[in-house]
Amino acid sequence: MNWSVDFAPFLPPEFFWIGGALALALIALMLIRKTRGAPLRALAVLAILAALANPTLREEQRDSLANVAIVVMDESTSQALETRPEQTRAIRQDLETKLGKLPNLDVKWITVKSRSDGKSDGTRLFQELNAALADTPPDRIAGVIMVTDGQVHDVPENAAALGFEAPVHALLTGRPDEFDRRIEIITAPRYGIVGQSRPIELRVVQAGKTDDKDKTVTLKVRREGQPDETRRTVIGRTETFDLAFPHAGTNILEVELEPAPGELTQANNRAVVAAEGVRENLRVLLVSGEPHAGERTWRNLLKSDAAVDLVHFTILRPPEKQDGTPINQLSLIAFPTRELFSEKINDFDLIIFDRYQHRGILQLGYYDNIARYVTEHGGAVLIAAGDDYAGNVSLYRTPLSPIIPARPTGRVVEEPFKASTTDDGIKHPVTRDLPGLKGKDGQPSWGRWLRQVEVQPTSGNVIMKGAGNEPLLILDRKGEGRVALLASDQAWLWARGYEGGGPHTDLLRRLSHWLMKEPDLEDERLIATATGLNLSLERRSMGENIAPVELKTPGGETREVTLEPAGPGVWRTTLEVKMPGLYKAETEAAPPAGKLTAVAHAGAEDVREMSEVTATDKKLAPIIEATGGGAFWTKSSGLLASAEPDAVNLPRISMMSNARVLAGSGWLGLKDREAYVTHGVKLTPMFTGLIALAALLALLSLAWWREGR
C-alpha cells in the first residue's frame, strides 16, 4: 500500500492565493488588536479554504519492478588478441555470480561482434546498446557495464544522448602497459595503367611505449613475380613504394613489418594494397578482304569500345584487278604491309582477318611474322571466315597454317542453321550464359545463319557448332598467344535482327577480349576474394575435375581446400577465416595454364578496428565521468601480467539508492531506480460534504461564543 494526499480545488488557484493573502491579513490584524476569538476565526477561515481545496486521500496498490543492469560484451576483432578471449570469459563468469546475488535485479546481456562482411566501422558498442534499450524502460535501468578493451568508436558526446540516467562502467580487458606497431597506409592508388607503376605512401606507427619511437625497423616488400625487397625505416617516417601493374586485373603489393618483442599482435604488421590494372587503349588491326555486309558489324563493335584503338583496312582493289584506270586517277590508299606486318606488328593486341584471302597483297614472309607475333610475342589472331577460307586462296594455305586450329575441307554449307554451344562452350567464359542460350524449347532463341565453311579441327576447343553440328567457333592457344577461327561470316544477321537476331555484341566482344587476355574471360582461372573475414575461392576450368586448392594463411600455415561444383566449368567455396591478413591460394591446372595462384586480403575493409588495438581507458572516460561510473582494469600490468589468462580482478558491486558517486576504489555501484507498477487506486474525500460543514459550523459557533463572553 502507498498513501498520499491529492487536491482537486473547486476554484482556480488564483482564488486561493488572493483569498489566503486577505485571510492572513485579517487574522494578523485581529491578533495585533487582540480581538477575542481570533484563533477560532483563523481556524474557520482555514477550514473554508481546505473545503474549497477538496483534499483527497489516495491509496495505491503497487508492485515493485526489478532493476535492469545491461552488460555489453565486446567481442570485436581486437578482443580476439592475446589472452583477451580468456579474460572476457572469466569476467562474464564472475559478473554472473556477483550480479546474481543482488536482489531485485534483472541482467540483460548484449554481445557485440565485428561484422563478417567487412562493412563494420570499428567497435560500435553504444549503437548495439541503443538497440537493446528499445524494449527496456529507461526508468528501470540501474546501470550499464561494458566489458571491452576500451577501443570504442561510437562514444556519445554527452550523457543526455544515452536516453537514461544511470552509471556507465567499464571492465577493461588487456593491460595498461601494452604496446603495438602497425603499418599505416597514407595514400594508395585504386587503379593503374598496365606496364606502368604508381606510388604508395605508408609509415610505421607505434602505440603504447614512447621510449623507442625513433627506432629503426625493417620492412619486407613483396610484389607479384619479383623477389622480396627489404627496406629500413624509422617509426613515424613516411616511406614511398612503387606499385607496378604488370597485367590487367588485380595487382597486389604487400608490406610486412618485422615483429617486435612483447608486441601485442602481429596481425596488423602487414599492409596490402590491391589496385586494378587497366590496359591503355587496346590496339586492334582489322583487315577486311572485300566489302561485305558483316564488315560494318565488326567496325561498329570495335569502335563502340572506348578501350580499343581500331586500325581498319579494306582491300578494295586487289593486284589482279586490272581495269585500265591510270594510277594518278586512283584515290585508294596503298596497303602499308611492311609498316603493319613487319615494323609495328608487335604494337597490336589483336589482328582480325575478316573474309581475307591470300591474293598476293601480303608476301609469305609477312605471314611468318604474324605466326611469330602469336607464338613468341603473345599476340592474338582472329579469322572470321567466309567461302574464301574453303578455296585455293585460303589463309590456311599460307605459313599461317601452323597456328590455325582447323583446316578447311573445301566444302561450303549453304543452308539455314542455328548456332549453339558445345559441351566445352557451356563451360567457356566466351559462350557461357549467352543471352538467349536456352529458349522455350530448350534450343537457343537466336535467329539463323545461312552459310558455314566446313572445317576439321586440328587443335583447340570447339565451343560453338553450326549446320550439321559441324564446328563453328574454335579457340586455341599457340605458344604465348591465342588464335580463334569463326567458320562463318554470317554474324551480321544477328546485328540486323534477322529472325529476332542474337547476342552478336556479347559474343564478338567476349571473343575479342578473350583473345586479348582479359582476366575475367580466362577459361583456366583461380579467383580469391574476401569480404571482411569471409574468404571466397572460385575455380574455372574446362576439365571435368579440378585439383584441391592449397591455402596459405597470414600466419604461414597451409591448408587444403576442396571446392564444390557451382555450375558448368565453375567450382566455389566460402570460408570464414579467423585472422585478418593476406591469404594466398594455389592449385595445379592442365598445360599450358600450369600453376594458378590467387591472393586476397581478409579483413582489410575494417581498417579502423585493427588500427588501434592497445587497451585504453581514455575513450570511455568522458561518458563514464558524466554518468558517475568508473573504469576498472581487470588484469594487472608488470609482473602480474604473466599470470593465468583467466586471472581477473573484478570490483565489488553494490546496489545504491540516492548516492551521487557510484564508483570508487575496488567497487562499483548500480542505481536502485525503485520502479513500480500500479494495479489499483482508491480515492477517499477528506474534507467535503457534512464533515466539512460540521467542522465549519463548529468553529464559527465557538468563535461567536468566545466573542460573546
Side-chain angles (χ1 to χ4, degrees):
M1 295 291 184
N2 184 269
W3 304 83
S4 62
V5 177
D6 294 343
F7 293 90
F10 296 112
L11 297 174
E14 292 80 4
F15 170 82
F16 291 94
W17 288 106
I18 298 174
L22 293 175
L24 288 175
L26 291 173
I27 293 171
L29 180 60
M30 287 189 294
L31 292 175
I32 292 173
R33 299 176 68 176
K34 298 182 180 180
T35 304
R36 291 181 179 181
L40 294 173
R41 288 181 178 273
L43 291 175
V45 171
L46 292 176
I48 294 174
L49 293 175
L52 294 174
N54 188 24
T56 302
L57 180 64
R58 183 185 183 92
E59 179 184 354
E60 294 184 355
Q61 296 179 350
R62 297 179 178 177
D63 287 343
S64 62
L65 296 176
N67 296 297
V68 178
I70 300 178
V71 182
V72 183
M73 304 295 297
D74 180 3
E75 293 187 7
S76 59
T77 305
S78 61
Q79 276 286 79
L81 302 177
E82 212 180 29
T83 61
R84 292 180 187 176
E86 291 81 2
Q87 292 181 52
T88 301
R89 286 192 291 269
I91 292 172
R92 175 158 187 161
Q93 293 177 358
D94 201 349
L95 272 179
E96 289 175 345
T97 301
K98 291 185 175 181
L99 294 176
K101 294 180 179 179
L102 296 179
N104 200 35
L105 179 67
D106 292 338
V107 182
K108 178 178 287 190
W109 299 85
I110 304 173
T111 300
V112 181
K113 297 184 178 182
S114 296
R115 293 178 58 173
S116 60
D117 58 3
K119 296 181 180 180
S120 61
D121 184 20
T123 303
R124 321 288 293 184
L125 299 189
F126 286 91
Q127 178 178 317
E128 298 296 330
L129 174 62
N130 290 336
L133 292 177
D135 58 353
T136 305
D139 58 352
R140 292 181 57 190
I141 298 177
V144 175
I145 301 175
M146 293 187 169
V147 182
T148 176
D149 56 8
Q151 294 292 353
V152 183
H153 303 105
D154 63 342
V155 181
E157 296 182 358
N158 50 62
L162 292 173
F164 59 85
E165 296 180 1
V168 175
H169 303 285
L171 300 180
L172 299 171
T173 59
R175 304 186 308 273
D177 62 344
E178 294 173 340
F179 90 98
D180 181 67
R181 292 176 183 170
R182 63 183 175 88
I183 298 177
E184 178 183 0
I185 301 294
I186 301 174
T187 60
R190 302 186 66 177
Y191 66 90
I193 304 299
V194 174
Q196 300 181 7
S197 61
R198 296 188 63 182
I200 298 171
E201 291 186 348
L202 56 83
R203 63 187 172 200
V204 177
V205 178
Q206 179 168 301
K209 294 195 308 183
T210 59
D211 55 348
D212 60 352
K213 285 194 173 183
D214 294 331
K215 185 177 180 180
T216 301
V217 295
T218 301
L219 296 175
K220 184 177 290 186
V221 184
R222 298 186 179 94
R223 297 181 175 88
E224 296 181 72
Q226 297 185 21
D228 293 352
E229 172 190 345
T230 301
R231 184 182 296 190
R232 304 281 289 175
T233 186
V234 175
I235 296 176
R237 186 173 70 190
T238 300
E239 296 286 344
T240 302
F241 299 86
D242 288 331
L243 172 60
F245 293 87
H247 58 78
T250 303
N251 295 265
I252 291 180
L253 178 142
E254 179 189 11
V255 182
E256 182 180 359
L257 170 66
E258 65 173 348
E263 186 177 6
L264 178 62
T265 179
Q266 299 178 22
N268 55 5
N269 284 23
R270 286 185 177 91
V272 176
V273 177
E276 290 295 314
V278 180
R279 290 191 178 184
E280 183 181 19
N281 293 347
L282 300 170
R283 301 196 66 191
V284 177
L285 173 61
L286 173 61
V287 182
S288 298
E290 60 185 31
H292 71 105
E295 178 183 10
R296 183 168 295 276
T297 298
W298 279 109
R299 181 178 179 84
N300 291 342
L301 174 72
L302 296 170
K303 291 292 288 184
S304 65
D305 194 335
V308 171
D309 283 342
L310 176 64
V311 178
H312 183 198
F313 282 92
T314 301
I315 309 302
L316 298 176
R317 192 172 188 272
E320 70 271 12
K321 184 176 182 180
Q322 300 294 334
D323 56 6
T325 305
I327 296 298
N328 58 3
Q329 295 182 18
L330 292 176
S331 60
L332 300 180
I333 300 174
F335 194 25
T337 53
R338 178 178 178 81
E339 182 180 9
L340 293 177
F341 297 103
S342 179
E343 298 176 0
K344 296 185 176 181
I345 185 172
N346 293 329
D347 293 342
F348 291 100
D349 298 286
L350 172 63
I351 298 175
I352 301 176
F353 289 105
D354 174 33
R355 285 182 56 93
Y356 184 84
Q357 51 187 306
H358 176 55
R359 294 186 294 186
I361 296 177
L362 290 181
Q363 301 300 318
L364 296 180
Y366 292 137
Y367 293 112
D368 285 330
N369 291 345
I370 297 172
R372 286 195 299 271
Y373 154 78
V374 172
T375 57
E376 299 178 9
H377 299 282
V381 169
L382 168 61
I383 299 174
D387 54 3
D388 54 271
Y389 190 72
N392 294 328
V393 291
S394 170
L395 283 176
Y396 190 80
R397 305 185 185 280
T398 69
L400 276 182
S401 60
I403 68 169
I404 298 178
R407 64 179 181 84
T409 63
R411 178 170 174 259
V412 178
V413 180
E414 299 275 359
E415 65 180 43
F417 66 90
K418 271 194 176 184
S420 60
T421 55
T422 63
D423 292 341
D424 283 347
I426 295 175
K427 303 176 184 178
H428 203 285
V430 171
T431 49
R432 184 174 58 227
D433 299 327
L434 277 174
L437 180 60
K438 293 183 179 180
K440 295 181 180 180
D441 56 353
Q443 297 296 319
S445 59
W446 310 323
R448 293 178 296 175
W449 293 0
L450 306 177
R451 180 168 57 218
Q452 179 180 349
V453 180
E454 187 179 76
V455 296
Q456 291 182 350
T458 57
S459 61
N461 297 104
V462 179
I463 64 172
M464 292 189 76
K465 57 187 177 180
N469 292 327
E470 292 295 323
L472 179 63
L473 178 58
I474 307 169
L475 307 182
D476 194 13
R477 300 171 187 263
K478 294 293 184 178
E480 299 295 324
R482 302 182 180 188
V483 180
L485 173 63
L486 180 60
S488 176
D489 59 352
Q490 300 285 292
W492 63 272
L493 291 173
W494 281 357
R496 299 286 181 87
Y498 177 71
E499 292 187 345
H504 72 285
T505 301
D506 296 273
L507 175 62
L508 300 182
R509 179 170 286 124
R510 290 186 193 179
L511 178 58
S512 302
H513 283 270
W514 177 83
L515 288 165
M516 292 184 285
K517 302 178 182 178
E518 177 69 31
D520 289 340
L521 293 170
E522 290 294 335
D523 49 308
E524 295 290 338
R525 190 182 182 196
L526 178 63
I527 305 172
T529 57
T531 304
L533 293 177
N534 286 332
L535 180 66
S536 297
L537 297 175
E538 178 178 315
R539 174 76 164 89
R540 299 177 185 175
S541 176
M542 299 295 293
E544 295 296 330
N545 299 293
I546 60 170
V549 176
E550 290 188 356
L551 183 65
K552 187 175 182 180
T553 69
E557 301 176 356
T558 301
R559 56 180 293 192
E560 188 175 277
V561 180
T562 301
L563 278 60
E564 299 296 330
V570 180
W571 289 260
R572 292 194 190 98
T573 193
T574 299
L575 309 171
E576 184 175 353
V577 297
K578 302 297 183 182
M579 182 183 299
L582 186 69
Y583 288 79
K584 183 176 181 179
E586 293 184 347
T587 189
E588 294 293 336
K595 179 174 287 188
L596 302 177
T597 61
V599 292
H601 192 258
E605 296 184 26
D606 195 4
V607 177
R608 192 174 186 183
E609 174 66 24
M610 292 303 294
S611 63
E612 299 173 303
V613 294
T614 54
T616 178
D617 58 355
K618 295 180 180 179
K619 291 189 175 183
L620 288 170
I623 199 68
I624 288 176
E625 183 178 353
T627 59
F632 305 89
W633 291 97
T634 60
K635 193 172 183 65
S636 304
S637 60
L639 295 176
L640 296 179
S642 60
E644 293 298 325
D646 56 354
V648 295
N649 182 24
L650 264 63
R652 176 172 50 88
I653 304 176
S654 302
M655 184 68 72
M656 313 180 75
S657 297
N658 299 315
R660 293 185 177 180
V661 179
L662 294 164
S665 178
W667 67 275
L668 66 83
L670 299 176
K671 188 175 182 179
D672 189 354
R673 303 305 300 271
E674 299 179 347
Y676 61 87
V677 60
T678 301
H679 291 292
V681 177
K682 182 180 180 181
L683 300 177
T684 304
M686 297 177 60
F687 202 65
T688 58
L690 294 176
I691 296 175
L693 180 60
L696 180 59
L697 291 175
L699 290 172
L700 291 175
S701 298
L702 288 173
W704 289 336
W705 174 80
R706 180 67 184 86
E707 290 176 354
R709 294 192 61 178

